[in-house]
Amino acid sequence: MAHEFFHPDMQLFIDHRVDWARYFQLLRGTEADLEAEVDTYRSILSTLDEICEDIETGALGHWHEEVRLVDGKVVVPPHIAAGYEKLRKAGLVCLTLDPAYGGYGLPILLNSHYLEMVSRADTSLMTILGLQAGVAGDIQKYGSDALKQQYLPRFASGELQGCMDLTEPQAGSDLGAIATRVTEEDGRYFVDGSKIFITNGGSGVHLVLARDGATYDQSKGTTNGLSLILCPVELPDGTRNKITVARVETKMGIHGSPTCAIEFDHAEGFLLGERGNGFRAMLDLMNQARIGVAAQGIGIAEAAFRKARSYALERVQFGQPIIQQPLVKSMLTTMALDIKSARALLYRTCAMIDLTDALAAYLKSGRDDAGDRTKLQEEYERNMQLIRFFTPLCKYIGTEVATRVTRNGIQIHGGIGYMAESVAGHYHSDAIITTIYEGTSEIQASFALREMSKGALFTALEATSEELKKLDDRFPEETRHVHAGIQAINDSLPGLMTDPSYAILNAKHVCDMMIDVVVAAELLLQAEVDPSKHLAATSFIRSRMAMVDMHAKRIQGGDVTRLDRYTKILGL
Amino acid sequence: MKILVPIKRVPDPQTNISVKGDGTGIVTDNVKFVINPFCEIALEEALRIKEQQGGAEVVLVSIGQKVAQEQLRTGLAMGADRAILVLSDDELDAATTAALLAKLVDQEKPELVLAGKQAIDDDANQTGQILASMLDWPQATFASKVEFSGDKKDVTVTREVDGGLETVAFTLPGVITTDLRLNEPRYASLPGIMKARKKELKEIPLAELGVDAKPRVKTHKVSPPPKRAAGRKVETVQELVNLLHTEAKLI
C-alpha cells in the first residue's frame, strides 16, 4: 500500500463531489480556468503528500519529546521545528489567507485536507499549523487596515505564528466566567490577567478574549462585554510587551505541541472588531478551529488504522494472520467505516462552507452573471443555518472516531500495543485530547442541539431526503433503509420535545442519528460516481440504520424522569 | 548560462511493482509516477547553479507520453524556467534518447546538460555518456560535487568511483550526470506551483526532430527477482563461520 497521505477519498471528493464550476462562477465570474485551478489544487496536495511522508519519518521515535521553557522562551522538540520549517519553505502555512496579504485564498476543503495530512504525519505539529489560518483569518476579518498590513504578510510567510487565548482556571467550557480584564486608556488597550492551556502559547501574536473594564461588573458571568484583543509579543515600536509564558504543561499526549500558561501584566493590545463584541469574533475563529480539529482527529485515526491493518496482516497466531479472525476483521472494518463516515461529513461540510463563502462574495459584489440574487440570498441563509449545525457535528464525530479507532488500534496490537514505545498507544494518547479541546464533545452536541431546535434539523432532513430521492432508482434497497432512518428520527421528536433537559440528555444520540443519515446519503452519492465505494456504503447503512432505530426507540420510550433515576443511582 | 535538464517519468520507488502475467512489462495501473530520483537531483543542482549565478536559465526536457506533463509541471513548480516534451508512445532505448537530446541541444544551445546518472526503471546508465560522445562534449558522470570557476567557464566535478573520489575538470560546454549524494532536492512550493501554471510547456512530436527512433534494443522478457529462500538456524558460532567459509564462500 502506497503511503497515500493524499488519500483516495480526498481525490474522489475533489474530482466528483464539488461543483467547482459553480464555485468559481460565483467567486470570480466566468473567466476562471476551471481545469487549471483544480489541477493546481491536486498539485498542492501531491506536494504535501511527499512532505508529509518526510515529516512522519522525521517524527518517528520522537513522540515522547517534550516542549521546554528555556529562559522564558518556548522551545519545541527538533522534529517539530524541522517539520514546520519544511512546510514554511514550501509556502504551506497559511493556505486560506487573502492573496492581498500574500496568501493564496485556497478553499477550506483544501485546508482541511492539508490539516488531516499533517495530523496523520505528526499530530503535535498539526496543532501549531491548525491555528495559523484561523488566527490570520480573524485578523483579516476584524482587524484595522493597519493591523492587517502589519501582521498578515508575516503570517502568510510563516515567519510569525499566532495563538488564541481563551481558557482561564475558572473559564473552561463556560467562557462567560472570563476574568481577564482589558482597560482602555486614551484610546489604547491594556490587558491584565492569566490564561491557561494555551496551545502554541509561545507565539508572537496572541488573540486574547478579555472582559472590557468599562462594563466589567455588569457583564460578569456572561459572554457579553468581552473584547478580542491582538497582543503582540513585540510591540510595533520594537519594545517587548508584558506577556510572560509562566509555564509549559506536561501532558498525556501531543508532547510536541506547546500548551502554556500565559500572564498578561498590563500588556498592550489592539482591538479586533467591536469593543464588547469579541465573543462573536472568537466564535468565527472557533468554528474554523473546530473544522481543523475534526480533520486532526481523522488524520490520527487514519494513521492508527493503517498501522493496525498492517500489523494484523503480519501477525500470525493459530497458523494464520490475525486479520483472518472474524473479530479482528470486523474491528478493522468498523474502524475503516468510522473514518469514512467522519470524512464524508467533514468534506461535504467544508465544500458547503466554500460554496457559501463564494455566495457571500457574489452577493457582496455588484455582479449579476451568476443568477438571481434573491434566490441566492435564500440559499446563502439556508447554508449558513446548515453550517452552524454541521460544524459542531464534524468536530464531534471526527474526534469521537479518533478516540475509538485509536483505542481499537491498540486492541489489535494486543500486548505489544500497550508497551510504552508502542506507536498504537501514542496515537491513542494523542487522540484523546481532540474530544476535549476547542469545545468538548458534550459542548459540540449541545451546540448542535440548539441549532436543531432553531430549525436546522428539518432543513437538514429535508435536504437529505431530496438527495436520497435522486438515488432511489439506482440504490432502491439502500435508500429504503435510510428513508426509514429519517422516519425514525421524525418519530422520536415528540418525545424529545417534552422537556429541554430530556433533549440535552439525548443530545449525543440525536447527533449520532443525524450524522448517520446525512453520511449514508453522502456515501451513496460517492458510490454513484465510484462503484468501488458501493460496498462500504451498503455496509455502513446496514449497521448504522439499525443504530438509528435503536436510539429513536430509546428516546421515544423515556422521559425526563430518567434524569431523576440517574440522580438516585449516583447517590446525589 | 543555459542548463538543459532531461527528466524521466518513472514509477515511484516507494511503490510495490508487480510484473505482468505475460512477462512483457510491469503493471502500471494504480501505480504512482514521479520524476526519476537521479533526474530530480540533477534539476536541484541546476536550480542551485541558477540561484548562485544570477541569470541562468533551466530548461527541462522529457521524452515520452503526454502524461509526462505531470512531471514537467512538478519540475516547473520546483523552479525550472520552461519545459519541452517530446511526444512518443514507444519505449525508446538510450541511444535514441541521446540522439533526440542531441537534436534539442542543437536547437537550444545550452552550455551544460545536467542529467541523472540513470533511471530507476531500466537502470541503463547510458544516456548521458552516449549524448556526450554524440555531441563530442566532455563528460563527468556520477557527480557528488559540482563547482564552477570564477568566470563560470570551467567546472570541477567530484565523482564517486569504486573505492574513493575522483576529481575531474572540463571547460564548458559539457555533460554532467548526478549521483545520489550530490544534494537533497527541494519540494515544489505553493508559490512555485502557482507560477508553474504560467510557464511554457512546449510539445514536439518525435517525428519533427528527424531522428531515427527505430529500436535497436528489444526487451524479451521482464521477470520479478526470485523470492528469498528461508534462512537456516545454526547452533554455534563455529558452525556459522564454517558455513560462511565452505558453503557461502564469503570468508
Side-chain angles (χ1 to χ4, degrees):
Chain A
M1 201 156 57
H3 52 80
E4 288 178 341
F5 278 93
F6 182 11
H7 195 276
D9 286 354
M10 297 175 186
Q11 306 219 22
L12 175 113
F13 215 83
I14 291 177
D15 291 350
H16 300 291
R17 291 288 301 129
V18 181
D19 189 349
W20 292 113
R22 181 148 191 254
Y23 173 73
F24 286 116
Q25 169 78 23
L26 285 165
L27 203 60
R28 297 190 206 149
T30 40
E31 81 274 20
D33 180 354
L34 201 65
E35 222 11 77
E37 293 285 350
V38 180
D39 225 36
T40 305
Y41 296 163
R42 291 191 195 99
S43 304
I44 293 167
L45 295 177
S46 300
T47 299
L48 263 169
D49 181 86
E50 288 173 28
I51 300 179
C52 284
E53 195 197 354
D54 225 18
I55 290 174
E56 184 183 51
T57 313
L60 223 64
H62 297 282
W63 176 83
H64 57 281
E65 287 173 21
E66 294 281 355
V67 175
R68 292 174 306 135
L69 191 60
V70 183
D71 300 331
K73 284 195 84 160
V74 174
V75 180
V76 295
H79 68 281
I80 298 286
Y84 182 80
E85 201 46 28
K86 276 188 186 128
L87 291 165
R88 196 192 62 76
K89 267 194 187 153
L92 293 164
V93 175
C94 235
L95 309 192
T96 53
L97 198 61
D98 194 314
Y101 305 106
Y104 290 93
L106 295 183
I108 299 287
L109 181 67
L110 266 276
N111 195 54
S112 153
H113 290 347
Y114 156 74
L115 294 175
E116 181 185 325
M117 287 158 88
V118 175
S119 169
R120 195 185 125 193
D122 184 344
T123 209
S124 288
L125 176 61
M126 180 279 169
T127 64
I128 296 169
L129 291 153
L131 280 167
Q132 301 317 315
V135 170
D138 237 30
I139 300 174
Q140 183 178 296
K141 189 161 175 190
Y142 294 102
S144 65
D145 279 343
L147 280 181
K148 288 194 252 191
Q149 293 299 346
Q150 178 146 22
Y151 293 106
L152 291 181
R154 284 191 283 159
F155 270 97
S157 68
E159 175 197 336
L160 199 61
Q161 290 180 11
C163 59
M164 55 184 203
D165 304 30
L166 280 81
T167 306
E168 298 176 10
Q170 299 312 320
S173 294
D174 178 11
L175 292 173
I178 281 178
T180 295
R181 181 191 292 262
V182 52
T183 326
E184 195 223 302
E185 294 169 15
D186 305 325
R188 294 165 72 186
Y189 292 90
F190 296 91
V191 176
D192 290 276
S194 312
K195 294 283 181 181
I196 56 163
F197 295 167
I198 306 307
T199 301
N200 207 23
S203 301
V205 167
H206 293 255
L207 300 194
V208 189
L209 200 57
R211 193 167 297 285
D212 194 306
T215 52
Y216 197 90
D217 290 324
Q218 302 94 292
S219 70
K220 233 172 157 181
T222 72
T223 53
N224 300 325
L226 296 173
S227 292
L228 187 61
I229 308 289
L230 184 160
C231 283
V233 168
E234 188 182 294
L235 288 166
D237 65 5
T239 56
R240 224 193 121 76
N241 208 354
K242 287 166 187 153
I243 302 173
T244 320
V245 179
R247 192 173 68 242
V248 168
E249 311 289 353
T250 322
K251 308 181 292 295
M252 178 177 175
I254 56 166
H255 299 291
S257 165
T259 306
C260 308
I262 314 284
E263 306 278 351
F264 297 88
D265 180 17
H266 222 55
E268 180 157 15
F270 307 94
L271 188 65
L272 287 183
E274 276 172 62
R275 193 172 160 183
N277 219 351
F279 190 68
R280 257 238 56 76
M282 187 50 99
L283 272 188
D284 274 351
L285 210 178
M286 283 267 275
N287 278 330
Q288 189 157 355
R290 282 172 179 157
I291 291 288
V293 175
Q296 179 183 30
I298 294 169
I300 310 173
E302 177 73 24
F305 168 69
R306 282 175 177 256
K307 193 85 194 134
R309 184 183 180 277
S310 69
Y311 182 78
L313 274 167
E314 279 166 19
R315 173 68 173 167
V316 174
Q317 289 287 279
F318 306 108
Q320 60 177 349
I322 59 169
I323 202 166
Q324 297 305 340
Q325 298 291 346
L327 287 173
V328 175
K329 202 176 263 177
S330 125
M331 243 191 290
L332 280 164
T333 307
T334 305
M335 289 158 83
L337 290 179
D338 258 353
I339 298 172
K340 216 172 253 311
S341 64
R343 267 204 184 105
L345 188 71
L346 178 64
Y347 294 0
R348 65 181 274 140
T349 302
C350 288
M352 183 180 273
I353 295 173
D354 288 327
L355 181 69
T356 311
D357 283 350
L359 274 168
Y362 175 73
L363 290 168
K364 235 198 223 164
S365 76
R367 294 191 286 120
D368 58 0
D369 55 335
D372 174 38
R373 302 182 79 88
T374 324
K375 263 185 139 168
L376 292 177
Q377 181 68 37
E378 276 170 28
E379 185 184 350
Y380 170 80
E381 273 152 31
R382 197 188 59 123
N383 284 2
M384 287 305 284
Q385 183 189 35
L386 288 175
I387 290 166
R388 282 194 299 272
F389 174 45
F390 284 132
T391 299
L393 289 185
C394 287
K395 157 72 163 80
Y396 166 71
I397 197 66
T399 61
E400 289 292 328
V401 157
T403 51
R404 284 208 294 268
V405 167
T406 53
R407 166 70 189 87
N408 278 333
I410 297 178
Q411 191 69 16
I412 284 166
H413 279 76
I416 293 282
Y418 193 64
M419 295 299 104
E421 65 272 20
S422 152
V423 178
H426 301 169
Y427 288 140
H428 191 47
S429 304
D430 283 350
I432 288 171
I433 186 60
T434 63
T435 64
I436 298 171
Y437 62 15
E438 304 302 345
T440 61
S441 288
E442 292 67 30
I443 291 284
Q444 305 304 328
S446 51
F447 271 24
L449 187 74
R450 199 178 61 200
E451 293 302 327
M452 279 190 239
S453 67
K454 286 199 260 173
L457 178 109
F458 295 110
T459 313
L461 285 182
E462 206 176 291
T464 306
S465 297
E466 285 304 311
E467 283 178 345
L468 285 170
K469 274 182 206 151
K470 289 182 197 141
L471 295 160
D472 281 344
D473 288 340
R474 177 88 186 261
F475 306 113
E477 176 69 12
E478 289 85 348
T479 54
R480 192 171 56 80
H481 280 298
V482 189
H483 282 303
I486 292 176
Q487 189 55 47
I489 297 175
N490 274 318
D491 292 346
S492 73
L493 294 177
L496 204 65
M497 307 288 194
T498 53
D499 187 290
S501 300
Y502 188 59
I504 293 263
L505 182 65
N506 285 289
K508 283 189 188 172
H509 295 323
V510 181
C511 288
D512 285 330
M513 295 196 295
M514 283 304 294
I515 291 167
D516 285 346
V517 294
V518 170
V519 166
E522 173 59 39
L523 292 181
L524 288 175
L525 285 165
Q526 294 182 9
E528 197 184 23
V529 289
D530 180 354
S532 75
K533 307 276 177 196
H534 184 214
L535 261 183
T538 309
S539 189
F540 178 86
I541 288 167
R542 280 194 189 139
S543 66
R544 297 305 172 88
M545 290 310 118
M547 299 285 282
V548 169
D549 201 45
M550 185 196 79
H551 286 317
K553 288 207 171 96
R554 176 102 176 109
I555 292 170
Q556 271 175 289
D559 57 39
V560 74
T561 58
R562 194 179 286 165
L563 265 178
D564 300 334
R565 290 195 296 280
Y566 290 179
T567 306
K568 287 187 187 120
I569 291 169
L570 293 172
L572 303 176
Chain B
M1 184 188 300
K2 191 194 269 189
I3 307 170
L4 195 73
V5 181
I7 61 173
K8 187 174 185 183
R9 173 184 164 92
V10 298
D12 185 345
Q14 309 270 355
T15 316
N16 285 329
I17 294 294
S18 56
V19 173
K20 278 188 204 159
D22 60 3
T24 54
I26 61 161
V27 180
T28 53
D29 293 348
N30 295 320
V31 170
K32 190 180 154 202
F33 283 83
V34 297
I35 301 176
N36 175 43
F38 291 108
C39 300
E40 210 176 13
I41 292 169
L43 171 56
E44 174 64 33
E45 195 63 20
L47 295 175
R48 289 185 190 188
I49 295 169
K50 181 186 164 179
E51 282 156 6
Q52 281 155 18
Q53 312 180 358
E57 187 188 20
V58 177
V59 182
L60 288 175
V61 183
S62 194
I63 303 169
Q65 294 174 320
K66 208 171 167 84
V67 282
Q69 275 185 349
E70 285 171 27
Q71 282 63 45
L72 289 171
R73 282 274 170 231
T74 304
L76 291 172
M78 284 169 71
D81 296 289
R82 57 191 173 87
I84 300 167
L85 174 57
V86 178
L87 287 165
S88 160
D89 282 333
D90 299 322
E91 191 97 358
L92 303 174
D93 58 41
T96 309
T97 305
L100 289 165
L101 289 175
K103 275 278 177 199
L104 289 172
V105 168
D106 278 350
Q107 291 179 4
E108 292 286 338
K109 311 225 173 328
E111 281 87 16
L112 179 64
V113 176
L114 245 170
K117 72 168 181 180
Q118 67 195 61
I120 59 154
D121 52 357
D122 58 16
D123 278 334
N125 186 352
Q126 293 175 346
T127 304
Q129 293 88 325
I130 298 173
L131 174 65
S133 87
M134 279 177 170
L135 294 169
D136 198 21
W137 280 9
Q139 58 171 297
T141 54
F142 306 172
S144 65
K145 198 172 176 191
V146 175
E147 285 170 303
F148 285 87
S149 62
D151 62 3
K152 301 168 195 167
K153 290 200 168 107
D154 302 302
V155 61
T156 306
V157 176
T158 307
R159 310 179 59 228
E160 298 195 342
V161 294
D162 288 344
L165 299 175
E166 182 186 44
T167 306
V168 296
F170 63 74
T171 303
L172 295 172
V175 176
I176 297 175
T177 74
T178 59
D179 215 323
L180 201 60
R181 278 161 290 273
L182 178 60
N183 59 46
E184 202 175 307
R186 70 194 65 191
Y187 295 110
S189 70
L190 207 166
I193 290 168
M194 296 295 188
K195 276 188 213 143
R197 284 166 50 180
K198 297 194 184 76
K199 289 179 180 171
E200 180 191 282
L201 197 165
K202 189 165 82 179
E203 290 178 5
I204 307 177
L206 181 133
E208 268 179 30
L209 289 175
V211 167
D212 171 19
K214 211 172 73 207
R216 296 164 188 80
V217 177
K218 199 176 153 199
T219 302
H220 288 277
K221 198 178 163 212
V222 176
S223 57
K227 279 224 168 85
R228 243 181 80 184
R232 190 157 102 216
K233 272 190 182 163
V234 293
E235 296 295 327
T236 64
V237 174
Q238 188 56 48
E239 197 183 336
L240 178 67
V241 172
N242 286 344
L243 285 171
L244 285 174
H245 182 65
T246 54
E247 214 170 284
K249 298 197 178 0
L250 286 171
I251 51 174

